[in-house]
Amino acid sequence: MVVSSVKNYQTLNSGSAYYNLKNKTTQKQQEFSASEQLTDKKHVKRGAFLGSALGVATATALISKRQGYSLNPVKILTSKLKNWAIFNIDPKTKVHYDTAEILTLGVASVAGGFAGGAIVDDKKNIKAKARESLNQLVGNILIPICAIGGTGLVYSDMKLKSGKSIQKIVTNAMPQLSGTNKAVKIINGMIKAVPTLAVTAGALFTGIVTGNKVSNFINEKIYKKEVERDIKATDFAPHLDDVCLAASIMAPESKFWSAIARFVPVVLTVPGYEAGSAVEKSA
């Protein structure tokens, strides 16, 4: 009887520990980028995702058309897959995702996600979705993207009196290994990329920290809700859209970075999904 009681206690205790660990893990996952609590209702998640995906798809189509791509289904289906707007990685003919395009995609994502989540969720969660929409638009999209876009404008686009950009001057000043074999070329390319990666990381860090503080401040003023959440290392995980933008701006002639930049529309469905999935903590 005593043994049975001990086993039952161990089972309950183990289950309790697992439950607490699962809750903590879920909470940490929600803190990766979202400031609000996210729903556990599948139909709301689906609504938020579909709304965000539709918004991003619409914006992507309009951006592609504005840059010379046809939206005619017949022309699209009769073209080679590698020539489609969303797959083309040729630096000369690809769809360019610069600051204006990224902001357009971000706004479309959040608007679509908010609408999709709000339609299928309880009305009591509308304010939570609005707060998270503001957090995403200001903290995760507008300020970080403008920080990277502004840095790219100065670092890689602005020409000095010599006719070269700061990026070109710094890149050419990097030491290089002697030799012409493939391994040496790869290493030299990586060495030349170091300054650009450092500048990008600095701009991204500044944008995320500033965006977090500004969005918290605005939410406190609008909703009279104190925000105590600070920047964590995990907050940098969801900013793949900023990395893609940096790749598009800092290395526009690189096929490798052009390929990475193709994921911009995909990763930008995340802010909208989180905006539409937000719920009040009491829900």
Side-chain angles (χ1 to χ4, degrees):
M1 191 72 173
V2 174
V3 174
S4 177
S5 297
V6 171
K7 286 184 177 179
N8 288 339
Y9 171 77
Q10 289 176 337
T11 301
L12 288 172
N13 190 49
S14 175
S16 177
Y18 171 77
Y19 178 78
N20 290 335
L21 177 62
K22 184 178 179 181
N23 276 356
K24 288 181 180 178
T25 303
T26 302
Q27 183 180 7
K28 287 296 181 184
Q29 289 173 341
Q30 291 175 350
E31 288 176 349
F32 277 7
S33 59
S35 296
E36 299 292 328
Q37 178 176 314
L38 302 184
T39 186
D40 57 358
K41 296 179 180 178
K42 291 183 179 180
H43 72 283
V44 178
K45 290 181 179 180
R46 284 195 294 267
F49 174 74
L50 290 174
S52 177
L54 180 60
V56 169
T58 302
T60 300
L62 293 175
I63 291 170
S64 299
K65 182 174 177 59
R66 190 164 61 235
Q67 294 190 22
Y69 279 88
S70 174
L71 297 183
N72 186 324
V74 176
K75 289 186 178 181
I76 293 174
L77 294 174
T78 54
S79 300
K80 293 182 179 179
L81 195 64
K82 67 177 184 178
N83 294 330
W84 289 13
I86 56 175
F87 296 126
N88 188 354
I89 62 172
D90 187 330
K92 295 181 180 179
T93 59
K94 69 176 184 179
V95 174
H96 293 275
Y97 295 115
D98 293 329
T99 305
E101 285 76 19
I102 300 291
L103 290 176
T104 299
L105 288 167
V107 171
S109 170
V110 173
F114 174 85
I119 290 172
V120 297
D121 202 0
D122 295 332
K123 291 182 179 180
K124 63 183 179 182
N125 292 319
I126 294 295
K127 283 188 177 181
K129 298 183 193 304
R131 290 194 300 269
E132 184 58 26
S133 294
L134 181 59
N135 286 330
Q136 294 293 339
L137 284 172
V138 176
N140 284 348
I141 297 174
L142 179 62
I143 293 180
I145 285 174
C146 286
I148 290 179
T151 300
L153 186 66
V154 174
Y155 180 68
S156 62
D157 292 344
M158 187 177 70
K159 297 292 188 286
L160 303 179
K161 289 182 178 180
S162 62
K164 296 181 179 180
S165 66
I166 297 175
Q167 182 185 32
K168 201 74 174 177
I169 294 173
V170 173
T171 299
N172 291 339
M174 295 298 291
Q176 296 283 276
L177 300 177
S178 59
T180 57
N181 62 62
K182 188 175 182 180
V184 170
K185 288 182 179 180
I186 292 174
I187 294 173
N188 283 339
M190 293 173 64
I191 292 174
K192 283 190 173 185
V194 169
T196 297
L197 292 174
V199 169
T200 300
L204 179 58
F205 179 85
T206 302
I208 292 173
V209 172
T210 304
N212 180 270
K213 292 183 180 298
V214 172
S215 63
N216 286 348
F217 175 79
I218 294 175
N219 262 328
E220 288 176 4
K221 293 299 180 182
I222 294 177
Y223 296 104
K224 310 300 180 183
K225 181 179 178 180
E226 186 176 356
V227 179
E228 299 178 353
R229 180 175 176 273
D230 298 321
I231 285 287
K232 301 179 180 66
T234 51
D235 288 330
F236 294 85
H239 286 273
L240 293 175
D241 56 314
D242 302 316
V243 175
C244 290
L245 171 63
S248 180
I249 293 176
M250 304 295 187
E253 297 178 0
S254 167
K255 281 194 174 183
F256 173 75
W257 290 114
S258 293
I260 292 178
R262 298 307 91 192
F263 291 97
V264 166
V266 177
V267 298
L268 275 172
T269 60
V270 175
Y273 168 77
E274 289 181 341
S277 300
V279 293
E280 296 292 349
K281 290 185 178 181
S282 58

